[in-house]
Amino acid sequence: MDKKIQKILNRNIFKVIAQAADELGQPAFVIGGFVRDIILNRPSTDIDIMTVGNGIMLAEKVGEKLGLKQKVTVFKNFGTAMLRYRNLDIEFVGARRESYQRNSRKPIVEDGTLEDDQKRRDFTINAMAIQLNGQNYGDFIDPFNGIEDLRLGIIRTPLDPDITFSDDPLRMMRAIRFATQLGFSINDETLSAIARNRNRMSIVSPERTMEELNKIVLADKPSKGIILMEETGLLPLVFPELQKMKGVDSIKGIAHKDNFYHTLKVLDQLAHKSDNLWLRWSAILHDIAKPATKRFVEGIGWTFYGHNYVGAKMVPGIFKRMKLPLNEKMKFVQKMVELHMRPIALVEEEVTDSAVRRLLFDAGDDIDDLMTLCEADITSKNQEKVRRHLENFQIVRQKLKEIDEKDAIRNFQPPVSGEEIMETFGIPPGREIGIIKNAIKDAILDGLISNNHEEAYRLMLDKAAEIGLYPVNRQAT
Ligand code: CTP
């Protein structure tokens, strides 16, 4: 460990900070996540510097020494300052003794000592500090034995967890997030304090909560965090729709699968294949409407008819409440949820060219993501069935490729435009245009005509004649 710290401390930036701190006569420390990450060998470019004294003055002095005076950003209200140096974001803050107002996350800030500052931090592994002053340059200050928790893989609060969490309830989500990201466990006392204090999440803004949830979703094994949220009772508060998926109903001895655990397995399987946050959200939401559409049908068993359509409709409400983006990212998730049954339906029957063309038409450029989601959606315990499905998906992928190259369906542009139809028949905008355009599109997707202007034009004339429309110049003769 000493070697790792030494290597870091040889970096020029820390020497400059040390010099500035000495000149101001202020003790200064590297603290928090950066120290944790050095020891874990995780790359990090966010550095927190804590000083017993004025953080803003220290930042300005460092900025001056680095020749970057203009680039120091000061947050007067918080008593903090930031500067960017090369690829590093460095934040300066004065040591604090903090007490929080009961109903808000806004702290009442008071100056404090190093010890005050360390004990008000969230976890022992985030409270380790390295001193930067003169003789003490490189001293490792770890009053809560964070280094041991790091070695054992344990998330634990420095103080009584009831105090740490009631100071800042977001830390309950952070505990679960770190456990998930780092593959650590949460110690029993800390875990039961999360359960006890869960209702304090109500004062945390959805934006902050989502930041943590998204980090859980982006971890290598996101199910771990979601299961911890379920076990501690955070899940129904943060994400009630997902909580509702848990459990199994049984009628006349027929049970359906537990959609909560199925969803988590799909999410974990997808996490092996893709880092795309929104594709991972699609995995979380693909069956979200199963509880709402669940019916027991005599002679058939449990059904979830239309859960993909209902699920797609639920997405905007969930995204809005969770303060997730309501732009094309949400539309992508909706599309994935709506289409997630299509590839599997396709391989269960014969993989016809026209079915593949229609899938390509509906999915467009998102077809590869959709296939990846559907492959992750196979969670059967029957290995033979899994193998067969994956093999069939390979056939679909191959066919998709062939048809995409041949027919250019992916970004389908109608070979005959609405304007051309209006001009040809001398008609104003109206439903006839839609009828003709649809007939052309269907004929192309069904393979009755090729995707080119000549064949589409001929079909346009035939279709128009059926509904009593003739080209203007022919009518004139
Ligand atoms: N911290 C805290 N309580 C919080 C947030 C942060 O005590 N609710 C402290 C911790 O000491 C943490 C440091 O502030 O290490 C920096 O916080 P942040 O940048 O949010 O997290 P990191 O620990 O650096 O981890 P990551 O970058 O993965 O978020």
Side-chain angles (χ1 to χ4, degrees):
M1 196 230 355
D2 283 352
K3 274 200 195 121
K4 283 182 196 159
I5 292 177
Q6 210 44 57
K7 204 169 146 207
I8 295 289
L9 290 175
N10 283 338
R11 282 161 73 168
N12 185 46
I13 181 71
F14 291 108
K15 297 201 163 142
V16 173
I17 297 170
Q19 223 178 39
D22 281 342
E23 281 173 27
L24 290 174
Q26 287 185 193
F29 308 84
V30 197
I31 192 162
F34 187 78
V35 177
R36 175 198 71 221
D37 288 342
I38 298 171
I39 301 170
L40 288 176
N41 288 323
R42 293 172 92 220
S44 171
T45 52
D46 285 335
I47 300 178
D48 286 308
I49 301 293
M50 185 263 288
T51 179
V52 183
N54 190 319
I56 297 174
M57 267 165 62
L58 179 59
E60 281 171 346
K61 186 132 207 129
V62 171
E64 226 169 83
K65 286 186 180 293
L66 294 169
L68 332 150
K69 195 158 197 279
Q70 308 315 324
K71 291 189 194 141
V72 178
T73 318
V74 173
F75 305 95
K76 268 224 168 72
N77 292 347
F78 295 94
T80 65
M82 292 257 319
L83 62 81
R84 209 178 149 71
Y85 177 66
R86 300 198 173 142
N87 64 337
L88 302 172
D89 283 312
I90 312 175
E91 185 167 350
F92 295 80
V93 56
R96 288 168 181 179
R97 235 176 69 204
E98 245 164 56
S99 42
Y100 284 73
Q101 293 155 356
R102 178 112 195 115
N103 294 314
S104 129
R105 282 193 66 244
K106 291 198 186 71
I108 304 158
V109 183
E110 286 172 42
D111 290 345
T113 62
L114 164 68
E115 199 195 332
D116 290 334
D117 187 282
Q118 281 178 301
K119 74 178 184 212
R120 75 158 185 94
R121 288 184 180 259
D122 52 2
F123 307 112
T124 57
I125 60 165
N126 286 345
M128 300 176 285
I130 301 170
Q131 183 145 17
L132 295 177
N133 298 85
Q135 297 248 317
N136 301 99
Y137 192 73
D139 282 2
F140 185 62
I141 305 154
D142 181 19
F144 305 104
N145 210 2
I147 192 77
E148 181 71 355
D149 283 345
L150 211 48
R151 196 177 64 78
L152 297 172
I154 292 176
I155 306 293
R156 181 201 317 264
T157 54
L159 298 178
D160 176 342
D162 284 330
I163 296 173
T164 304
F165 290 147
S166 104
D167 274 355
D168 179 2
L170 179 72
R171 291 169 170 169
M172 299 189 280
M173 281 296 288
R174 282 173 64 89
I176 293 175
R177 186 261 284 190
F178 282 119
T180 312
Q181 264 184 338
L182 303 175
F184 282 19
S185 53
I186 302 177
N187 95 319
D188 286 347
E189 237 183 287
T190 305
L191 195 64
S192 51
I194 298 179
R196 242 187 340 268
N197 290 281
R198 64 182 183 278
N199 288 325
R200 295 271 293 153
M201 279 303 291
S202 60
I203 64 161
V204 179
S205 74
E207 287 85 351
R208 302 296 311 279
T209 308
M210 266 322 107
E211 213 176 289
E212 297 302 325
L213 183 56
N214 277 341
K215 285 181 178 172
I216 292 171
V217 172
L218 283 172
D220 290 344
K221 194 174 181 228
S223 65
K224 176 172 176 161
I226 295 175
I227 287 173
L228 281 168
M229 286 174 70
E230 206 280 321
E231 286 171 356
T232 50
L234 289 183
L235 192 65
L237 304 174
V238 172
F239 199 167
E241 296 86 352
L242 190 55
Q243 178 73 45
K244 269 211 183 100
M245 308 252 277
K246 187 162 181 268
V248 181
D249 273 337
S250 175
I251 291 182
K252 297 183 180 164
I254 303 174
H256 60 76
K257 67 181 164 196
D258 187 313
N259 290 307
F260 177 69
Y261 292 106
H262 164 70
T263 294
L264 295 186
K265 188 157 183 203
V266 177
L267 178 59
D268 282 351
Q269 293 193 160
L270 184 80
H272 285 126
K273 300 165 193 275
S274 170
D275 286 336
N276 176 343
L277 177 63
W278 306 108
L279 190 54
R280 291 187 183 199
W281 267 100
S282 308
I284 296 172
L285 293 171
H286 78 288
D287 279 346
I288 202 71
K290 277 200 166 172
T293 55
K294 180 162 71 178
R295 301 272 178 284
F296 185 82
V297 181
E298 217 45 76
I300 294 181
W302 291 101
T303 65
F304 305 92
Y305 288 131
H307 76 272
N308 51 324
Y309 299 111
V310 178
K313 288 211 180 88
M314 286 169 71
V315 172
I318 293 173
F319 268 47
K320 194 159 182 232
R321 191 191 68 233
M322 291 189 163
K323 303 280 189 234
L324 290 168
L326 303 175
N327 54 15
E328 74 285 352
K329 289 169 182 142
M330 181 189 83
K331 293 214 176 80
F332 167 82
V333 174
Q334 282 190 286
K335 188 170 172 184
M336 292 293 113
V337 173
E338 182 174 329
L339 296 179
H340 81 268
M341 323 256 291
R342 290 278 292 280
I344 190 83
L346 205 140
V347 300
E348 273 167 359
E349 290 153 27
E350 205 193 335
V351 188
T352 63
D353 281 11
S354 72
V356 171
R357 264 190 227 105
R358 284 190 178 273
L359 179 61
L360 200 50
F361 176 77
D362 290 333
D365 274 340
D366 299 320
I367 186 69
D368 291 329
D369 284 336
L370 181 65
M371 292 304 292
T372 305
L373 172 63
C374 292
E375 281 164 1
D377 196 9
I378 303 170
T379 60
S380 166
K381 289 201 180 75
N382 176 344
Q383 285 309 309
E384 172 51 28
K385 197 167 158 192
V386 172
R387 195 193 56 76
R388 212 175 50 240
H389 272 109
L390 289 177
E391 213 173 86
N392 282 340
F393 275 138
Q394 278 315 313
I395 299 173
V396 176
R397 279 192 189 260
Q398 184 54 36
K399 263 226 154 92
L400 279 164
K401 198 162 160 247
E402 283 164 24
I403 287 184
D404 196 20
E405 280 162 13
K406 186 157 64 82
D407 298 344
I409 299 294
R410 187 187 281 248
N411 288 312
F412 183 80
Q413 294 294 333
V416 172
S417 69
E419 286 82 61
E420 188 170 2
I421 298 172
M422 290 191 280
E423 261 170 42
T424 310
F425 301 104
I427 52 173
R431 54 189 286 275
E432 291 84 359
I433 293 138
I435 294 172
I436 295 170
K437 280 181 84 173
N438 264 333
I440 295 171
K441 182 196 84 187
D442 284 339
I444 293 170
L445 295 179
D446 289 337
L448 301 174
I449 64 169
S450 299
N451 185 7
N452 64 42
H453 183 262
E454 194 189 327
E455 292 189 35
Y457 191 84
R458 216 175 309 135
L459 186 85
M460 171 191 78
L461 295 177
D462 291 348
K463 190 71 202 170
E466 273 175 33
I467 53 175
L469 287 175
Y470 298 95
V472 268
N473 46 5
R474 195 191 298 169
Q475 231 174 12
T477 55

